[in-house]
Amino acid sequence: MYKIRMPEFLSPSAIKIFESDLEDYAVKYLLQKRPPRMPQTEPMAVGSAFDAYVKSYLHYNLFGNYGPEGRYRLDRIFEEQVEPHNRDYAKQAGRHCFSEYQSRGALADLMTELQKAIGPPRFEFSISGTIRLDEYEAPLLGKPDCYFTNDQGVRVVYDWKVNGYCSNR
């Protein structure tokens, strides 16, 4: 018989897997002895590379530096997030996605929004809370790509995706 554990928290990713494949959710989040994590795929690596390009650009252009100890230097974020077997492919693909994001004006729009923000935007951090339904509680944890309060006082969370970049369509 399998021994199960109580998850410490729910994340948006875990909830999505729960909704789409209950068995996969159980294997990834409930078993005490879980299988090793799947190696990073090319689509995952492209998303991580794009994330590195965007965060490095934003931090430098908003604050004039790459953060304490160069935390937001492109090469540093890239190497932390992209597994070695994907780096050659992901570096080019991530740069291409970033270039398209920039050329279509999305990056400029985001910069404008961030420059008007109340207080500095935050990158690379965890946010947690609890939701309640009747007598039940569920702890939540998320790791947004960018978080800030806009000029109207609304909290904004960005979680960049490059869905479809590696697809055949």
Side-chain angles (χ1 to χ4, degrees), residues 98-112:
F98 177 75
S99 177
E100 290 295 314
Y101 191 67
Q102 191 172 30
S103 71
R104 295 173 192 275
L107 186 60
D109 289 348
L110 178 57
M111 279 295 296
T112 300

Side-chain angles (χ1 to χ4, degrees), residues 62-157:
L62 289 168
F63 304 112
N65 61 57
Y66 292 110
E69 300 174 14
R71 173 74 190 98
Y72 295 100
R73 282 185 40 217
L74 174 60
D75 58 337
R76 182 170 175 182
I77 301 173
F78 181 85
E79 288 182 16
E80 286 174 0
Q81 296 185 161
V82 179
E83 293 178 5
H85 66 278
N86 287 320
R87 287 186 181 153
D88 290 340
Y89 174 75
K91 186 164 246 173
Q92 290 181 357
R95 183 176 28 242
H96 175 76
C97 290
F98 177 75
S99 177
E100 290 295 314
Y101 191 67
Q102 191 172 30
S103 71
R104 295 173 192 275
L107 186 60
D109 289 348
L110 178 57
M111 279 295 296
T112 300
E113 197 174 358
L114 291 171
Q115 288 167 339
K116 293 180 188 176
I118 299 170
R122 295 177 65 192
F123 307 100
E124 300 287 312
F125 75 103
S126 296
I127 188 168
S128 61
T130 303
I131 57 169
R132 295 168 205 248
L133 179 62
D134 299 326
E135 71 271 15
Y136 301 103
E137 288 186 356
L140 301 175
L141 177 71
K143 297 184 179 192
D145 290 324
C146 179
Y147 171 85
F148 63 97
T149 303
N150 72 11
D151 59 346
Q152 297 167 12
V154 175
R155 290 183 229 163
V156 179
V157 173

Side-chain angles (χ1 to χ4, degrees), residues 11-21 25 161 163:
S11 67
S13 300
I15 293 169
K16 186 172 183 170
I17 292 171
F18 177 84
E19 291 174 339
S20 64
D21 188 338
Y25 174 83
K161 302 293 180 207
N163 291 350

